[in-house]
Amino acid sequence: MAPVDPHSYTDGEHPVVSHAALAFYLDFAASTIHASALLTLDAPHSGDLLLDTRALAIHSASTAADPPEPIPFSLAADLDPVLGSALTLTLPPDTTSFRLTFSTSPAASALQWLAPPQTASGQPFVFSQCQSIHARSVFPCHDTPAARITFSLLLNVPAQLSAVAAARHVARRDPLPADHRGACDDELWCAPGRIVEEFQMEQSVPPYLFAFAAGGIGFRDLGPRTRVYAEGGDKVLDEAAREFAGVEEMVKVGESLFGPYEWERFDLLVLPPSFPYGGMENPRMVFLTPTVIKGDAAGAQVVAHELAHSWTGNLITNKTNEDFWLNEGFTTYAERRIVEVVQGEERAALNMGIGWRGLNRMMERFKDNMEFTKLKPNMAGIDPDDVYSEVPYEKGFQFLWRIERQIGRPAFDEFLKKYIATFKFQSIDTETFLEFLKTNVPGIENQIDLKLWVEGTGIPPDAMEPDSSTYKKICALAAEFKSGKLPSEDEVADWSGQEWELYLENLPTDVEASQVTALDERYKLSESRDYEVKVAFLQLAIPTGCKCYFNEVEKCLKQVGRMKYLRPLYSSLAKCSGEEKMLAQRIFSEAQEFYHPIARSVAETILSKHS
């Protein structure tokens, strides 16, 4: 066997699945999908073929012929905690397509099922989150970004619900007996009160970008190729439409910087608050946390990041999670270029400043395992969710910004456009990028220590803190806090959430409880609607022993499932002794059913580490 990815059973000597025709019957009562998959290989194959699965019940395997012939299969008895279970199929000679029927588990790591009392619409809701290696819990696949697929998808849902997917919507229609290809029986598939939503994805994507959602979903049009969807009724939709009104302009800016937008539509879905990320760049249908709706259009920066993925990440994809910086470092760079055009250089510099603080925080987080401060770490045996951090984003950004400073922006822009045009719809590794860089920027390896940047730990000496007057002013005000000086109302009069976030991130950690409460009494940061500000403040307050903020911490951890907030709050509580640690355990025991499985696992890991 020749593994292509430390996080997949995919054998590099065998063909890979290039197309999946999927039929899903969504059983909300059982939190289960009954499914069939007609999988097509990129070349004929005979003998054993391995697919990735996690917690799937495999019912049958057969040829695509009519009539079908059974295919012998076995599911590994041993469940690897990271990889899941290998499904081995013994294919007859020259097989190009085969059919599987299977069911997901109610505990599928990619899926969150919400009961009507957990939703704003009072309707059941389900959504998927397949990054990094969770597509295998939805359907058997080669769950590695090295194996790109096209797909068709039939979602059979209750007729009162709507469904969306990261694919072109073909039709909403009545179910037909021929649709399901063995996913369930005809009577169940075609039962009264059911509807089929049909989707098609013609462009190849890595499996982690497979995505769908179903529930009481409405929408508002934003532009000719942009629309916002949401669960929660007119109020949420109207707020989202106002927050993201400038999205069409952002797409045009992206095209001017990075070349044509290849995905036809750029739609947004605002998910329930349990969504574990800020955003997920699913092509054609970006998933967003409702915490990005802040009422001041600041959430557009998260959208800018997900939009930038349309070129760097979706169009060109990291070959494995060890090359994750190729997705996120490039996208963070591209995001800041978009923000610079749309919102100005000072706003982009603030974004960079927050990132710089985050990168330095990661050095402290990984001080006992500096491997994960490398741009290309060794990830064998490591669950990507456990070491998810700002390193690939911010160190990757710093590396690209260093190259830009060396060769100049006009030359770097030309390089970037050529890079995207050369590798679009491909998955590449770090070595491929470096060879392309050295070929197209001759002598760059003599000007920048590429090996240090990619293989070295920590922050390289030629990384650079952003240089802007606003950034320096905020950092200077933060430095004065130690001596007891609070910023005046005049000094913060024009601050948005991002300025406050940067200020709080730069405050010393060894502050007194009285200083924290004085700051909050003046500016009410613990009550901020902006979760970036609220969480940064609460993270500062917890170690001081300010028990008056326990109620806000508890509300935050019970109302929002975004890991960016769960991780620092649970970590801050768990690192304390006594009452704070017990509070963390109690909150988690009461809130865990609200969290997506990925977020629940991360919180469990934090609490067990500090138990």
Side-chain angles (χ1 to χ4, degrees):
M1 182 175 176
V4 299
D5 184 332
H7 297 116
S8 174
Y9 290 111
T10 302
D11 189 333
E13 295 179 350
H14 294 166
V16 293
V17 173
S18 58
H19 181 77
L22 303 166
F24 288 1
Y25 179 95
L26 274 57
D27 184 343
F28 283 89
S31 300
T32 298
I33 299 173
H34 306 294
S36 69
L38 178 62
L39 302 179
T40 301
L41 301 175
D42 63 0
H45 185 63
S46 309
D48 287 352
L49 182 79
L50 272 64
L51 296 174
D52 296 305
T53 76
R54 180 184 292 122
L56 292 177
I58 310 298
H59 304 311
S60 70
S62 61
T63 64
D66 189 14
E69 294 291 331
I71 292 175
F73 70 91
S74 63
L75 197 59
D78 295 333
L79 174 66
D80 184 284
V82 176
L83 299 181
S85 304
L87 173 64
T88 302
L89 303 162
T90 305
L91 301 180
D94 297 324
T95 297
T96 54
S97 299
F98 54 92
R99 181 178 291 115
L100 303 173
T101 63
F102 55 95
S103 298
T104 63
S105 163
S109 60
L111 302 175
Q112 183 167 23
W113 301 83
L114 298 172
Q118 295 175 290
T119 67
S121 66
Q123 298 281 4
F125 196 93
V126 64
F127 66 91
S128 65
Q129 172 55 41
C130 290
Q131 195 180 47
S132 296
I133 52 172
H134 300 284
R136 66 194 67 186
S137 73
V138 182
F139 66 102
C141 57
H142 290 120
D143 195 6
T144 168
R148 302 175 71 97
I149 60 168
T150 57
F151 65 87
S152 63
L153 174 64
L154 302 178
L155 291 175
N156 184 309
V157 302
Q160 74 271 22
L161 304 184
S162 299
V164 297
R168 178 173 59 86
H169 187 251
V170 177
R172 177 180 170 92
R173 58 171 175 79
D174 291 333
L176 300 172
D179 285 340
H180 62 80
R181 295 186 295 269
C184 57
D185 59 39
D186 291 353
E187 185 177 358
L188 189 62
W189 185 265
C190 298
R194 303 289 297 193
I195 200 80
V196 164
E197 300 266 24
E198 183 176 352
F199 302 90
Q200 188 80 34
M201 188 55 165
E202 288 98 350
Q203 297 109 322
S204 66
V205 294
Y208 72 80
L209 290 177
F210 173 82
F212 70 91
I217 299 171
F219 67 86
R220 294 278 188 277
D221 284 317
L222 302 175
R225 53 183 167 176
T226 55
R227 175 182 285 180
V228 62
Y229 294 80
E231 189 274 341
D234 289 344
K235 182 176 183 293
V236 175
L237 278 170
D238 291 343
E239 289 178 347
R242 285 192 295 271
E243 190 80 20
F244 306 130
V247 164
E248 178 67 33
E249 181 60 30
M250 277 190 175
V251 177
K252 292 177 182 176
V253 170
E255 288 184 307
S256 70
L257 291 169
F258 312 121
Y261 181 78
E262 301 271 2
W263 305 97
E264 297 172 11
R265 293 196 62 82
F266 183 72
D267 294 331
L268 313 170
L269 171 65
V270 180
L271 284 159
S274 59
F275 183 58
Y277 292 99
M280 183 63 212
E281 64 269 19
N282 308 309
R284 302 182 66 109
M285 185 63 68
V286 166
F287 284 10
L288 293 169
T289 169
T291 63
V292 301
I293 301 175
K294 303 176 184 182
D296 59 1
Q301 291 204 22
V302 173
V303 175
H305 184 89
E306 307 312 330
L307 170 63
H309 269 301
S310 302
W311 291 273
T312 55
N314 298 2
L315 207 54
I316 306 176
T317 306
N318 50 233
K319 195 170 186 178
T320 75
N321 277 288
E322 293 184 335
D323 307 292
F324 191 45
W325 80 272
L326 287 174
N327 276 21
E328 296 300 351
F330 268 94
T331 298
T332 302
Y333 175 87
E335 167 205 346
R336 287 168 183 161
R337 292 292 303 276
I338 293 172
V339 168
E340 189 177 294
V341 175
V342 175
Q343 297 185 336
E345 291 184 9
E346 285 294 314
R347 185 61 52 188
L350 287 180
N351 187 313
M352 291 163 60
I354 292 169
W356 177 256
R357 290 300 309 156
L359 180 59
N360 280 272
R361 263 200 326 275
M362 291 305 101
M363 299 305 113
E364 175 64 21
R365 175 183 165 191
F366 293 119
K367 63 184 178 183
D368 296 326
N369 196 341
M370 293 295 283
E371 179 70 22
F372 301 114
T373 67
K374 294 179 179 179
L375 274 187
K376 181 156 185 170
N378 179 357
M379 298 278 283
I382 302 296
D383 188 331
D385 293 334
D386 289 345
V387 293
Y388 179 84
S389 80
E390 294 172 67
V391 171
Y393 295 74
E394 298 299 341
K395 189 173 180 179
F397 163 78
Q398 285 283 341
F399 182 32
L400 298 173
W401 191 32
R402 174 68 184 88
I403 299 169
E404 182 206 285
R405 295 198 305 274
Q406 185 65 43
I407 67 176
R409 177 167 284 188
F412 189 71
D413 282 353
E414 287 303 310
F415 168 81
L416 198 54
K417 285 182 177 178
K418 185 175 182 181
Y419 168 71
I420 292 168
T422 300
F423 295 110
K424 68 179 183 178
F425 294 111
Q426 296 180 49
S427 299
I428 67 169
D429 57 20
T430 300
E431 291 70 26
T432 301
F433 167 75
L434 292 175
E435 285 306 310
F436 185 79
L437 174 66
K438 289 185 282 189
T439 298
N440 287 274
V441 187
I444 190 71
E445 67 272 27
N446 300 320
Q447 300 163 327
I448 299 174
D449 191 339
L450 304 180
K451 185 179 177 70
L452 176 67
W453 271 98
V454 172
E455 299 178 23
T457 60
I459 302 175
D462 49 347
M464 196 169 93
E465 192 171 5
D467 182 18
S468 85
S469 58
T470 304
Y471 174 76
K472 288 178 177 176
K473 178 183 175 183
I474 293 171
C475 291
L477 288 172
E480 293 175 348
F481 186 81
K482 182 77 172 175
S483 60
K485 184 180 183 300
L486 300 181
S488 69
E489 292 188 7
D490 287 343
E491 288 170 322
V492 305
D494 59 350
W495 281 15
S496 68
Q498 201 164 34
E499 282 87 353
W500 275 113
E501 183 186 358
L502 184 62
Y503 175 78
L504 291 166
E505 295 281 3
N506 278 278
L507 292 181
T509 54
D510 56 339
V511 296
E512 299 294 329
S514 59
Q515 293 175 285
V516 172
T517 54
L519 181 64
D520 193 45
E521 283 170 5
R522 182 177 293 186
Y523 294 114
K524 302 293 186 286
L525 301 178
S526 66
E527 302 168 20
S528 174
R529 185 185 174 189
D530 187 330
Y531 274 89
E532 305 289 341
V533 176
K534 179 195 287 278
V535 171
F537 175 79
L538 294 175
Q539 192 179 358
L540 182 74
I542 289 169
T544 69
C546 288
K547 295 178 183 178
C548 58
Y549 295 114
F550 281 8
N551 186 49
E552 282 296 335
V553 171
E554 181 166 354
K555 283 199 300 184
C556 191
L557 289 172
K558 287 184 173 179
Q559 291 174 352
V560 179
R562 186 177 176 184
M563 290 191 293
K564 183 177 183 181
Y565 309 143
L566 302 189
R567 197 187 300 272
L569 291 181
Y570 275 122
S571 294
S572 295
L573 289 172
K575 287 176 183 176
C576 297
S577 58
E579 196 170 340
E580 291 87 352
K581 192 184 294 286
M582 288 189 290
L583 177 67
Q585 296 285 356
R586 179 180 64 76
I587 293 173
F588 179 72
S589 70
E590 295 172 2
Q592 60 178 317
E593 292 306 313
F594 163 73
Y595 299 147
H596 185 281
I598 297 172
R600 190 183 311 139
S601 176
V602 166
E604 284 176 336
T605 300
I606 290 169
L607 295 178
S608 63
K609 178 182 176 182
H610 297 287
S611 61

